[in-house]
């Protein structure tokens, strides 16, 4: 057994939930399970980190699943599941609302605890799931049976990855889920042995605890789900977040300290600071701001990525070199942010034609343009070329063009939002309070380890 470092014990003291906290959350869980049992419509089960005792002090997210007969149709599951979830929530609080993942569920606030009431099928095996959430009860059973003696290691890993900015399997973060953290600790036998192994990881690292993989996976980190051989638990982990974890592991092993577990303060930037940064960099910053589509992040974020790439390519095709581009989603608005190396271009551009040796196409090109009052066609490097007026001489005019921007490749819901209009902001005017942390991070790009080392 690896001996715990002194500062790790100090950190753990702040991570473990208090007895009062445990009693409070568990009493709510028992109340909810009793109501579900009395309904005789489904079997109640607490899942997630609270059920597995791997939750961190202050994280009061209680997940209660309602397991229904697997012979129900999907429509019946949604109707009966949502009705039961509503009645359970209504018996405990007035503060609840519907949310949507693969199918609808109820999110409620009960005595300061955030509760999700989720219907699923009570299937006999994770390989027989009918919806994605059906797998979750099996995760809880698997971890609960094996995690004893390693709970503190999981808590350390969760805080370690949160501090490094790589915790969370959502589309925005592309990092480590709580379940993945638990599996990694189980596989390697602790926090420190995991870091020692991770320091040597390379892309396409495969971890198969049960040695039962049913297929190959293309992602950089592959952790086969112990309860479902067809699933990669680490599918959400991007190459950069995997590399960030490797870097953090090496840095901690070389020079361990409490700084690796200190919550980073939210970075913000004031409008005058943004103005100073832009002046110093001598670049040109533009933002496209539009209404957030009314769908969950798991649906919207992939579309934002696609749209950002398409608009970036549009800028570059028109001669506006992009140094850096990113996106951010807030509840009410989304932002595409671009840092350009040039904001204005000459009124003309070169337009290449076919080689002279390609006689048919060369003749067509010459005949098409011979009567135009323009420079060319002329021959350069064996092919026709001419100078033509540039359609957009400024980046702002291009980004403001409804015809051009909407012809870019967008996801369905992002396109619908853009069709209702957008705003193009320039320079310091890109600053908006709700995007201040995003703007700060856009210009303050550091690897996870470098960020920690600079805070020391």
């Amino acid at each position: 057994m690896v001996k715990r470092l002194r500062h790790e014990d100090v950190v753990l003291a702040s991570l473990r939930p208090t007895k009062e906290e445990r009693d409070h959350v568990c009493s709510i869980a028992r109340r909810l399970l009793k109501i579900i049992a009395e309904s005789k419509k489904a079997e109640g089960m607490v899942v997630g980190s609270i059920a597995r005792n791997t939750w961190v002090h202050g994280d009061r997210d209680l997940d209660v699943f309602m397991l229904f007969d697997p012979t129900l149709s999907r429509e019946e599951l949604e109707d009966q599941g949502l009705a039961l979830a509503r009645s359970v929530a209504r018996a405990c609080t007035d503060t609840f609302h519907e949310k949507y993942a693969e199918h609808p569920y109820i999110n409620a606030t009960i005595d300061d605890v955030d509760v999700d009431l989720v219907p699923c099928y009570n299937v006999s095996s994770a390989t027989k799931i009918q919806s994605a959430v059906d797998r979750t009860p099996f995760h809880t059973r698997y971890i609960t049976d094996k995690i004893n003696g390693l709970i503190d290691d999981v808590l350390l890993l969760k805080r370690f990855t949160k501090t490094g900015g790589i915790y969370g399997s959502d589309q925005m973060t592309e990092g480590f889920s709580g379940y993945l953290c638990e599996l990694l600790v189980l596989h390697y036998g602790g926090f420190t042995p995991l870091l020692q192994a991770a320091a040597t990881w390379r892309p396409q690292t495969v971890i198969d605890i049960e040695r039962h993989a049913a297929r190959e996976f293309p992602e950089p980190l592959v952790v086969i789900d112990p309860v479902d051989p067809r699933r990669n638990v680490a599918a959400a982990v991007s190459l950069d977040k995997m590399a960030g974890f490797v870097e953090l592991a090496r840095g901690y092993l070389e020079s361990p300290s409490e700084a690796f577990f200190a919550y980073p303060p939210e970075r913000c930037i004031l409008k005058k600071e943004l103005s100073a940064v832009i002046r110093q960099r001598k670049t040109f910053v533009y933002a496209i701001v539009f209404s957030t589509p009314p769908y969950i992040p798991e649906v919207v974020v992939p579309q934002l990525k696609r749209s950002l790439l398409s608009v970036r390519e549009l800028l570059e095709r028109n001669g506006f070199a992009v140094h850096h581009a990113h996106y951010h989603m807030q509840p009410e608005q989304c932002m595409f942010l671009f840092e350009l190396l040039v904001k204005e271009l000459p009124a003309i551009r070169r337009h290449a034609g076919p080689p002279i040796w390609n006689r048919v196409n060369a003749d067509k090109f010459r005949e098409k343009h011979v009567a135009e009052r323009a420079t060319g066609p002329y021959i350069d490097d064996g092919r026709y070329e001419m100078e033509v007026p540039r359609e957009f001489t400024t980046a702002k005019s291009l980004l403001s063009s409804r015809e051009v921007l909407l012809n870019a490749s967008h996801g369905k819901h992002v396109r619908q939002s853009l069709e209702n209009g957008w705003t193009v902001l320039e320079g310091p005017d890109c600053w908006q309070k709700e995007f201040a942390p995003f703007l700060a991070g856009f210009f303050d790009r550091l690897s996870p380890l470098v960020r920690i080392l600079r805070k020391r």
Side-chain angles (χ1 to χ4, degrees):
M1 182 175 178
V2 178
K3 185 178 178 181
R4 192 83 67 203
L5 297 174
R6 181 175 173 275
H7 69 264
E8 292 176 351
D9 286 327
V10 172
V11 170
L12 281 168
S14 70
L15 297 180
R16 300 186 187 107
T18 64
K19 182 180 183 303
E20 292 76 15
E21 196 173 16
R22 289 182 184 277
D23 290 345
H24 176 56
V25 174
C26 289
S27 68
I28 294 174
R30 285 193 296 270
R31 192 183 351 162
L32 294 170
L33 293 177
K34 181 181 178 182
I35 297 170
I36 295 170
E38 289 174 346
S39 75
K40 297 182 180 180
K41 295 178 179 178
E43 176 185 337
M45 180 180 181
V46 177
V47 301
S49 60
I50 287 179
R52 305 193 286 255
N53 290 315
T54 58
W55 56 302
V56 175
H57 169 65
D59 291 348
R60 300 187 179 191
D61 297 328
L62 177 60
D63 298 322
V64 177
F65 274 40
M66 301 171 299
L67 286 68
F68 283 81
D69 189 326
T71 61
L72 293 177
S73 69
R74 178 62 69 93
E75 184 178 355
E76 289 172 325
L77 175 70
E78 292 187 9
D79 291 344
Q80 295 182 30
L82 202 54
L84 178 58
R86 279 200 202 96
S87 66
V88 172
R90 193 176 290 117
C92 300
T93 181
D94 294 326
T95 310
F96 63 90
H97 60 279
E98 289 183 26
K99 296 183 75 172
Y100 297 87
E102 185 173 344
H103 51 68
Y105 62 97
I106 292 295
N107 174 255
T109 302
I110 304 175
D111 295 342
D112 76 2
V113 175
D114 187 70
V115 179
D116 284 340
L117 294 161
V118 183
C120 72
Y121 286 111
N122 191 8
V123 295
S124 60
S125 165
T127 60
K128 298 179 180 179
I129 64 171
Q130 300 180 49
S131 69
V133 293
D134 298 347
R135 199 184 285 113
T136 303
F138 294 93
H139 292 166
T140 295
R141 296 183 188 111
Y142 185 88
I143 296 296
T144 303
D145 289 343
K146 300 175 183 295
I147 201 63
N148 286 338
L150 293 171
I151 290 175
D152 283 349
D153 295 82
V154 173
L155 297 183
L156 285 173
L157 179 59
K158 285 186 174 182
R159 176 55 65 87
F160 184 79
T161 51
K162 285 181 181 179
T163 299
I166 57 177
Y167 183 82
S169 59
D170 57 277
Q171 293 279 354
M172 293 285 288
T173 306
E174 298 181 326
F176 289 55
S177 68
Y179 181 49
L180 176 57
C181 288
E182 293 162 348
L183 291 178
L184 291 173
V185 166
L186 274 177
H187 178 66
Y188 289 108
F191 174 68
T192 300
L194 163 61
L195 298 191
Q196 290 168 340
T200 65
W201 280 355
R202 300 178 67 85
Q204 278 68 61
T205 291
V206 178
I207 297 167
D208 187 359
I209 298 174
E210 296 295 324
R211 299 183 179 181
H212 68 168
R215 49 168 290 208
E216 294 184 353
F217 297 87
E219 293 86 12
L221 178 63
V222 178
V223 179
I224 305 299
D225 195 332
V227 307
D228 188 345
R230 303 163 303 180
R231 177 174 180 259
N232 175 17
V233 179
V237 180
S238 68
L239 179 62
D240 286 349
K241 293 302 168 70
M242 178 186 178
F245 185 69
V246 171
E247 181 201 41
L248 285 169
R250 293 173 182 171
Y252 186 74
L253 293 171
E254 182 178 324
S255 182
S257 78
E258 199 169 343
F260 285 83
F261 303 96
Y263 260 141
E266 185 175 60
R267 305 188 313 280
C268 289
I269 190 170
L270 300 174
K271 186 172 183 179
K272 64 180 181 180
E273 293 173 327
L274 176 60
S275 179
V277 167
I278 295 173
R279 281 199 309 271
Q280 181 184 30
R281 294 170 70 86
K282 292 183 172 59
T283 54
F284 308 95
V285 179
Y286 293 88
I288 295 175
V289 180
F290 56 97
S291 296
T292 298
Y295 299 90
I296 61 173
E298 286 75 14
V299 171
V300 176
V301 171
Q303 297 186 21
L304 292 175
K305 292 179 183 178
R306 173 183 171 184
S307 294
L308 181 82
L309 178 61
S310 183
V311 178
R312 177 176 185 149
E313 291 173 344
L314 178 66
L315 283 163
E316 292 183 333
R317 281 200 309 271
N318 282 269
F320 300 99
V322 179
H323 177 66
H324 181 37
H326 204 10
Y327 65 90
H328 192 67
M329 176 181 174
Q330 286 287 345
E332 300 298 325
Q333 294 190 111
C334 292
M335 175 182 282
F336 294 146
L337 191 62
F338 303 93
E339 185 180 21
L340 308 182
L341 300 180
V342 60
K343 76 169 190 175
E344 190 168 357
L345 295 168
I348 58 168
R349 64 177 179 85
R350 298 173 70 172
H351 174 51
I356 293 295
W357 335 114
N358 185 340
R359 183 168 182 173
V360 173
N361 289 328
D363 288 351
K364 287 180 179 178
F365 186 86
R366 184 188 66 250
E367 291 168 3
K368 178 180 178 180
H369 298 290
V370 69
E372 294 181 11
R373 296 196 173 187
T375 302
Y378 52 85
I379 297 173
D380 185 15
D381 198 26
R383 66 189 312 144
Y384 278 132
E385 188 174 273
M386 61 185 300
E387 294 174 358
V388 297
R390 187 180 297 276
E391 185 176 5
F392 298 100
T393 59
T394 66
K396 188 170 185 177
S397 65
L398 172 63
L399 296 175
S400 301
S401 171
R402 184 176 180 85
E403 179 182 1
V404 172
L405 200 75
L406 289 180
N407 278 331
S409 178
H410 301 289
K412 174 183 176 181
H413 305 307
V414 171
R415 177 180 297 281
Q416 289 172 347
S417 183
L418 288 170
E419 285 173 347
N420 291 325
W422 66 90
T423 302
V424 178
L425 305 174
E426 183 176 0
D429 290 337
C430 293
W431 188 90
Q432 293 190 356
K433 185 176 181 180
E434 63 183 311
F435 291 107
F438 167 61
L439 288 162
F442 185 87
F443 293 102
D444 184 24
R445 291 189 291 166
L446 299 171
S447 74
L449 178 59
V450 170
R451 190 175 302 283
I452 289 172
L453 294 177
R454 286 194 181 174
K455 287 193 303 181
R456 283 182 170 181

